Amino acid sequence: MLVLLPPSEGKASGGRGAPLEPESLSLPGLAAAREAVLTELVELCAGDEDKAREVLGLSEGLRGEVAKNAGLRTAGTRPAGEVYTGVLYDALDLASLDTAARRRAARSLLVFSGLWGAVRVTDRIPSYRCSMGVRLPGLGALSAHWRTPMASVLPEAAGDGLVLDLRSAAYAAVWKPKGEVAGRTATVRVLHAPTRKVVSHFNKATKGRIVRSLLSDGAVPKDPAGLVEALRDLGYVVEAEPPARAGRPWALDVLVTEIH
């Protein structure tokens, strides 16, 4: 099972590990694309601070993020699973998982990123600020920059099992499973049962809890139908129908009655 996650806008700072070693990151097929983004981002943020803030879409209160980006090559690192914070990651709470569940997380979780493309939760990275919506002066739109290398690397990373796609729209657009991989991909929408509306906060929190439940249980569904069964066994209310045509992802609705 491969679980595709969005990053978080907020990130933990103060990594105590050794500086970034780009060659140590997972998915080495993304290395050249990562280096291109990293080089331009560091140069941008080491220059005109106001221009960097404008390019990155940062408010005056986030001015310090520019200096953080300028020092990415020498900053301390920590595992990506500790760097990413926010609602989904708080609910997932990787640090409190037992040893076996953490091993499953290391194998199955892939976090998408405007800077790194995608990383495993065990990859050591510094804290940074660079969303997928950024358009760098030299490289242009990061979403377009990542599409070609992702199309080359991600099908292999997907292996031959279930792909659980929990990414937000900006990150989902960077790589869309196709063909046989799409047929074993499931997307999840979390709905407030009485209104059948998506509410951002508990949508993210529920997705984090879903991943935690699967990791803790040791469930390894092989396909979307198996995922539906596993989630129902774990107590989730799931609505799902097979796609009308082969080679299309399944769309699952998880219904939640309480917002928390």
Side-chain angles (χ1 to χ4, degrees):
M1 178 174 68
L2 183 68
V3 182
L4 310 181
L5 297 174
S8 59
E9 198 165 281
K11 299 173 184 69
S13 57
R16 296 180 297 277
L20 175 70
E21 296 178 359
E23 67 280 1
S24 72
L25 298 179
S26 303
L27 307 180
L30 300 178
R34 285 173 178 148
E35 180 59 31
V37 179
L38 179 61
T39 296
E40 184 169 356
L41 182 63
V42 169
E43 290 179 355
L44 171 71
C45 292
D48 186 325
E49 186 178 272
D50 289 331
K51 179 181 178 182
R53 222 164 34 86
E54 180 182 355
V55 169
L56 297 174
L58 300 178
S59 66
E60 175 66 32
L62 294 174
R63 184 176 288 272
E65 299 293 295
V66 174
K68 181 191 294 184
N69 282 349
L72 282 173
R73 293 193 185 273
T74 57
T77 59
R78 61 172 71 192
E82 297 178 13
V83 171
Y84 295 110
T85 60
V87 175
L88 187 155
Y89 291 91
D90 284 347
L92 174 53
D93 195 9
L94 286 168
S96 69
L97 291 172
D98 64 35
T99 301
R102 285 199 299 271
R103 282 198 294 264
R104 288 189 281 271
R107 293 193 302 267
S108 62
L109 304 188
L110 200 61
V111 184
F112 276 62
S113 162
L115 173 53
W116 314 114
V119 291
R120 302 281 185 185
V121 291
T122 50
D123 286 334
R124 300 193 67 93
I125 59 173
S127 181
Y128 67 96
R129 191 74 173 226
C130 184
S131 74
M132 191 62 78
V134 164
R135 178 182 293 272
L136 292 174
L139 290 177
L142 290 181
S143 56
H145 172 76
W146 284 113
R147 283 193 191 109
T148 296
M150 288 288 188
S152 174
V153 170
L154 265 294
E156 181 179 354
D160 58 4
L162 170 73
V163 178
L164 175 53
D165 189 352
L166 302 178
R167 297 172 296 169
S168 52
Y171 294 89
V174 174
W175 179 64
K176 296 182 179 180
K178 295 181 179 179
E180 183 269 336
V181 179
R184 49 187 167 85
T185 296
T187 62
V188 171
R189 184 174 61 162
V190 180
L191 301 179
H192 186 213
T195 63
R196 303 191 70 82
K197 291 182 178 179
V198 174
V199 179
S200 178
H201 180 90
F202 83 80
N203 173 58
K204 294 175 182 177
T206 302
K207 287 179 177 178
R209 285 192 284 271
I210 285 171
V211 176
R212 182 181 177 85
S213 296
L214 292 169
L215 294 172
S216 297
D217 184 71
V220 188
K222 299 295 185 183
D223 54 33
L227 175 64
V228 172
E229 182 178 350
L231 290 177
R232 287 174 176 165
D233 287 345
L234 289 166
Y236 292 94
V237 179
V238 183
E239 293 181 353
E241 291 185 7
R245 296 193 327 196
R248 294 289 183 90
W250 285 48
L252 278 57
D253 285 344
V254 175
L255 305 183
V256 180
T257 56
E258 295 182 7
I259 298 178
H260 59 87

